[in-house]
Amino acid sequence: MASPAVPIRYFATKKAKAKGKGQFQTRVNLNAALVEDIISLEEVDEEMKSVTEALKDNFNKTVNIRTSPGSLDHITVVTADGKLALNQIGQISMKSPQLILVNMASFPECTAAAIKAIRESGMNLNPEVEGTLIQVPIPKVTREHREMLVKLAKQNTNKAKDSLRKVRTNAMNKLKKSKDKVSEDTIRLIEKQISQMADDTAAELDRHLAAKTKELLG
């Protein structure tokens, strides 16, 4: 029995779009209605985009030549109640252009853990403590400091790529559950599309890293 005609959606990769007019564009031919019954590629795309946005946000907040109070906000502190952002347990302020203060009076029992987290943040910070008041001298902008920030940017980019791989793996695992419902050819086409989306996102992460590296090194 012949199946009714269903529109075909052509997914062009970003690389293909960039090739310009007059050149062959690689496309993955997918039956739009059939794909939506198996997996939402739009949702997968949104998850991948969120990875990129998270990295950009991370770069803006924590990987800057000039350390600011906001740079410390999202440092993760391991406490007895679990992992918490530093700004959830301490009051962060700028005392002078050379010194940031973290007041731990509300959670004095977390002071030691906060110092450890700041020291291990990768931002080249060496906090000192007086009671429940943590003093964080702002590092001088030296070549060494810039190179350390580049290293931190690379580490954060690698973490973003780990998150991207998880999105891709979750999507592929969802596809595997539908192998008894659709043809192997269809599954392979969708797998190819997801892989292209992941590759494009990884390339975008690399572009943001390259731009941040250029900014940091000057």
Side-chain angles (χ1 to χ4, degrees):
M1 181 177 177
S3 59
V6 182
I8 300 294
R9 181 177 297 170
Y10 295 92
F11 294 86
T13 66
K14 291 179 182 177
K15 291 178 182 177
K17 291 176 181 177
K19 289 182 179 179
K21 297 180 180 179
Q23 295 188 28
F24 176 77
Q25 293 188 0
T26 303
R27 292 168 180 255
V28 178
N29 300 348
L30 295 175
N31 182 311
L34 186 59
V35 171
E36 288 167 6
D37 285 340
I38 301 170
I39 189 171
S40 172
L41 289 180
E42 288 184 2
E43 287 183 9
V44 175
D45 186 52
E46 285 301 315
E47 288 182 42
M48 291 184 179
K49 284 180 180 176
S50 70
V51 171
T52 302
E53 290 304 313
L55 181 67
K56 289 165 61 178
D57 187 56
N58 175 276
F59 280 177
N60 290 333
K61 289 180 177 177
T62 67
V63 189
N64 293 298
I65 294 174
R66 296 289 180 183
T67 304
S68 66
S71 301
L72 276 63
D73 281 351
H74 301 286
I75 289 177
T76 301
V77 183
V78 179
T79 73
D81 296 320
K83 294 181 179 180
L84 298 171
L86 183 59
N87 64 353
Q88 291 182 283
I89 56 177
Q91 184 178 355
I92 306 171
S93 61
M94 180 77 84
K95 182 178 181 180
S96 73
Q98 291 78 36
L99 187 66
I100 295 174
L101 299 180
V102 184
N103 191 329
M104 299 295 296
S106 298
F107 296 88
E109 70 279 7
C110 298
T111 302
I115 292 171
K116 184 175 185 291
I118 294 169
R119 189 170 286 127
E120 296 177 356
S121 65
M123 289 190 283
N124 195 31
L125 302 175
N126 294 298
E128 301 169 355
V129 64
E130 289 184 7
T132 57
L133 186 65
I134 301 173
Q135 300 182 27
V136 186
I138 296 175
K140 292 181 179 179
V141 183
T142 62
R143 182 70 183 182
E144 182 183 5
H145 180 58
R146 290 173 183 270
E147 290 174 352
M148 180 279 303
L149 289 174
V150 170
K151 183 178 178 180
L152 179 61
K154 289 178 180 177
Q155 291 173 347
N156 292 341
T157 302
N158 287 335
K159 289 179 182 178
K161 288 182 177 180
D162 286 340
S163 297
L164 176 61
R165 278 190 285 270
K166 288 179 182 178
V167 173
R168 181 185 181 279
T169 299
N170 289 340
M172 293 299 191
N173 288 338
K174 189 171 184 179
L175 274 181
K176 289 177 182 177
K177 296 177 181 179
S178 302
K179 283 193 173 180
D180 58 339
K181 301 177 184 178
V182 294
S183 71
E184 290 185 8
D185 286 344
T186 299
I187 292 294
R188 278 196 295 269
L189 284 173
I190 301 175
E191 286 178 342
K192 185 176 180 181
Q193 175 62 21
I194 292 171
S195 293
Q196 288 176 340
M197 292 161 62
D199 289 345
D200 288 344
T201 304
E204 187 172 359
L205 295 177
D206 286 334
R207 285 194 294 273
H208 286 299
L209 174 60
K212 175 55 73 170
T213 299
K214 183 177 180 180
E215 172 194 323
L216 292 171
L217 295 180

